[in-house]
């Protein structure tokens, strides 16, 4: 089955630690995205990548980093510089930069 | 600035009743428009999209949406709601011909009463 996988589903970290969230897709999509979702808010774009080895900052990139070394993978690192990292993180992909996006099941990160 | 507004934070309907969820956009030109649904703790699923052409768009799960340029709206409708439709619904938009990404509304939480 084609789709997007995110792991783990739940992640707990201590404050001051970096943590990496995994996102893998087997849809052969060129573009991938990371969103953050907080209660009562829509999705906010963190980073996106339209091709391998290239990515751009979204609206709330501060305190986050990404890499795109392979077409299938777009890991997100939440660094200790992110002031309020506890949130639900969603990864998405699309065939091209302008096409509809397909979403993974999300990772809920809790930092204490 | 470009924005998408969903005026209703929470809507409650009885099972079998009709449903309309509102979405308004503010863009310089007509954007591409989308409706997504999210079940608790899950990712988003695309219900339908509007790029151009017929202003009444059919989607999955019996949903439809109507694009009204004069009102800058893209409201989602369903003639008869099922209990399994209880979820959060997001409207999203992006500029046509642009590599810029989706802008999401803040969502509408739908509760379905038995």
């Amino acid at each position: 089955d084609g789709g997007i996988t995110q792991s783990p589903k739940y992640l707990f970290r201590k404050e001051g630690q970096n943590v990496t969230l995994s996102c893998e897709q087997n849809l052969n999509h060129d573009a991938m995205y990371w969103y953050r979702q907080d209660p009562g808010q829509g999705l906010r774009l963190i980073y996106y990548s339209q091709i391998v080895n290239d990515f751009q900052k979204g609206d709330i990139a501060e305190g986050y980093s990404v890499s795109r070394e392979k077409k299938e993978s777009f890991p997100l690192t939440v660094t200790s510089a992110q002031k309020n990292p506890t949130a639900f993180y969603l990864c998405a992909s699309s065939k091209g930069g302008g096409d509809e996006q397909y979403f993974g099941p999300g990772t809920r990160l809790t930092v204490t | 600035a470009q924005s998408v507004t969903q005026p209703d934070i929470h809507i409650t309907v009885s099972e079998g009743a009709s449903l309309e969820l509102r979405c308004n956009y503010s863009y310089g030109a007509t954007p591409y428009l989308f409706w997504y649904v999210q079940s608790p703790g899950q990712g988003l699923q695309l219900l339908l999209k509007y790029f151009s052409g017929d202003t009444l768009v059919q989607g999955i799960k019996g949903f439809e949406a109507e694009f009204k340029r004069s009102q800058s709206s893209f409201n989602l409708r369903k003639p008869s709601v099922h209990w399994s439709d209880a979820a959060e619904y997001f409207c999203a938009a992006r500029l046509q011909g642009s590599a810029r990404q989706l802008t999401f509304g803040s969502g509408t939480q739908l509760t379905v009463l038995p």
Side-chain angles (χ1 to χ4, degrees):
Chain A
D1 285 337
I4 302 173
T5 56
Q6 292 186 244
S7 61
K9 189 167 180 63
Y10 299 95
L11 192 53
F12 298 88
R13 280 294 182 271
K14 295 289 188 185
E15 200 172 308
Q17 293 179 337
N18 291 355
V19 59
T20 297
L21 281 60
S22 168
C23 177
E24 305 276 332
Q25 55 97 0
N26 60 3
L27 299 168
N28 199 32
H29 284 173
D30 288 315
M32 296 186 74
Y33 314 81
W34 274 106
Y35 292 91
R36 172 182 171 135
Q37 186 178 26
D38 295 284
Q41 299 191 37
L43 278 68
R44 293 183 290 168
L45 183 66
I46 304 172
Y47 268 98
Y48 64 102
S49 168
Q50 298 199 57
I51 55 172
V52 174
N53 293 322
D54 187 46
F55 49 83
Q56 289 78 41
K57 293 181 179 180
D59 299 319
I60 56 165
E62 186 175 348
Y64 299 97
S65 65
V66 294
S67 63
R68 187 84 187 277
E69 297 176 1
K70 298 187 298 182
K71 187 175 184 178
E72 312 81 56
S73 179
F74 191 41
L76 173 74
T77 296
V78 184
T79 75
S80 57
Q82 167 51 230
K83 299 210 182 310
N84 186 18
T86 294
F88 190 51
Y89 290 87
L90 286 159
C91 178
S93 71
S94 65
K95 188 174 181 182
D99 297 314
E100 62 263 34
Q101 296 178 17
Y102 295 85
F103 285 79
T107 292
R108 185 166 300 280
L109 172 65
T110 302
V111 176
T112 58
Chain B
Q2 298 151 4
S3 65
V4 176
T5 302
Q6 293 180 246
D8 304 305
I9 296 173
H10 194 183
I11 282 184
T12 300
V13 299
S14 297
E15 190 168 17
S18 63
L19 171 70
E20 183 169 28
L21 303 182
R22 296 184 290 165
C23 173
N24 294 98
Y25 62 88
S26 175
Y27 277 73
T30 300
Y32 291 158
L33 294 158
F34 306 83
W35 273 101
Y36 286 87
V37 61
Q38 183 182 33
S39 298
Q42 301 297 317
L44 276 67
Q45 181 182 21
L46 180 68
L47 286 174
L48 47 77
K49 62 188 179 187
Y50 173 77
F51 283 4
S52 65
D54 193 345
T55 57
L56 187 62
V57 180
Q58 301 298 320
I60 62 171
K61 304 187 179 192
F63 285 93
E64 65 179 25
E66 185 171 13
F67 168 67
K68 292 186 177 180
R69 186 191 308 273
S70 61
Q71 298 177 20
S72 297
S73 69
F74 188 56
N75 293 350
L76 182 72
R77 302 195 295 240
K78 188 168 185 179
S80 178
V81 170
H82 189 263
W83 63 267
S84 60
D85 293 325
E88 189 152 25
Y89 292 80
F90 291 93
C91 182
R94 74 161 188 85
L95 283 175
Q96 296 186 25
S98 169
R100 196 63 179 102
Q101 307 316 311
L102 290 177
T103 297
F104 284 84
S106 55
T108 297
Q109 182 68 47
L110 173 66
T111 296
V112 180
L113 299 177

